[in-house]
Amino acid sequence: MAFIRPFEPKDTEDCKFICRATLPPTLAASPGGYRMAPYLWTLQFTHLSPETCFVLDDGTGKVVGYIIGTPDVFKFAADYPRYISEVLQSEQGLADVPVPKQLDKLESFLIPDPNSSPDEENKKIVNEQCMAQNAYKVEWLVLDGVEGKRELVEKYRAMLHIDLLEPVQGQGWGRKMIERFVEAVREEGKKEGVDIGKGIQLGVAGENTKVVKFYEKVGFRVYPGGEKEGNVWMVRDL
């Protein structure tokens, strides 16, 4: 029988698979985006904030879902150089995520497809350089961005990502995992040097807005500004 438990290092490969299996269409269609995705939205949380990372175990040790995040995004950012040196600059990390050519100016996330046909002149593809830049520069990844982003993360300093494989969706596990995460964030917030602010924030990809209603049912609300980057920002007060 499936159950929720704390993340363990042995779960890393399963979590990478889940991240890739649940990507929105644009990223899933990009070989580079597919390869790099766990390094932007999964591994830094399990590496730097394991105390607020939980997995759904199918009962055999196989992970079929996760909820990961950090109680304090600014403490997380201060610790990020360790993620770069220990994960991104490991042999596997260097093979999966190319070192960005420059970190002075963030490139566009989507760029024109050079291989598109004349009738696909507006076709866009994921810019792998942009993804590598985000992986290496935590400010671009979680702190800065369009107008309002810095205000959001200063108010709601905890953040999360949750992904479940399709066979275990719609069974109530998402709600249970979020409550487990909320409980962990509240406990971490009692510790010296950890500031959770007003609560938790998350981002919903513009290609996946169908999940907004689910988050609203578990206590989140839409926070204005995400539409400026083509996404939806949501927060939950604690």
Side-chain angles (χ1 to χ4, degrees), residues 23-35 37 41 109 126 131 207:
L23 287 173
T26 301
L27 276 165
S30 165
Y34 182 88
R35 186 183 68 250
W41 298 297
F109 181 69
V126 172
M131 289 193 67
E207 294 178 292

Side-chain angles (χ1 to χ4, degrees), residues 169-236:
Q169 293 177 12
Q171 299 178 26
W173 289 113
R175 179 186 293 272
K176 292 176 183 178
M177 294 179 79
I178 285 175
E179 292 311 313
R180 183 73 174 268
F181 179 82
V182 167
E183 180 184 334
V185 166
R186 284 183 171 138
E187 287 302 310
E188 289 299 310
K190 298 175 183 177
K191 296 181 179 179
E192 185 177 353
V194 178
D195 182 359
I196 67 173
K198 296 178 66 175
I200 304 168
Q201 49 97 358
L202 60 84
V204 176
E207 294 178 292
N208 194 35
T209 54
K210 64 182 181 181
V211 302
V212 168
K213 289 184 178 180
F214 162 74
Y215 287 120
E216 290 176 333
K217 290 179 181 178
V218 293
F220 286 83
R221 59 182 170 84
V222 174
Y223 186 96
E227 67 279 357
K228 296 174 185 176
E229 63 179 20
N231 298 316
V232 179
W233 296 340
M234 302 192 76
V235 298
R236 174 169 166 172

Side-chain angles (χ1 to χ4, degrees), residues 70-142:
T70 179
D72 183 345
V73 71
F74 288 93
K75 183 178 184 301
F76 172 82
D79 293 339
Y80 203 80
R82 182 162 64 85
Y83 171 69
I84 293 175
S85 64
E86 295 176 358
V87 178
L88 289 179
Q89 294 182 342
S90 67
E91 183 177 356
Q92 188 61 55
L94 290 169
D96 288 338
V97 184
V99 177
K101 297 175 182 177
Q102 55 87 15
L103 288 171
D104 298 319
K105 182 180 180 181
L106 181 62
E107 296 187 16
S108 298
F109 181 69
L110 294 176
I111 56 175
D113 184 352
N115 299 315
S116 61
S117 61
D119 59 343
E120 297 178 314
E121 59 179 331
N122 295 321
K123 184 179 179 182
K124 302 281 188 179
I125 59 172
V126 172
N127 182 355
E128 296 181 18
Q129 267 300 303
C130 176
M131 289 193 67
Q133 287 178 314
N134 275 289
Y136 270 84
K137 193 162 184 176
V138 68
E139 291 83 3
W140 289 339
L141 183 64
V142 298

Side-chain angles (χ1 to χ4, degrees), residues 150-164:
R150 173 66 70 151
E151 178 185 0
L152 167 67
V153 297
E154 287 178 347
K155 287 182 178 179
Y156 294 87
R157 296 171 66 114
M159 67 180 299
L160 70 79
H161 293 285
I162 180 171
D163 288 305
L164 298 170

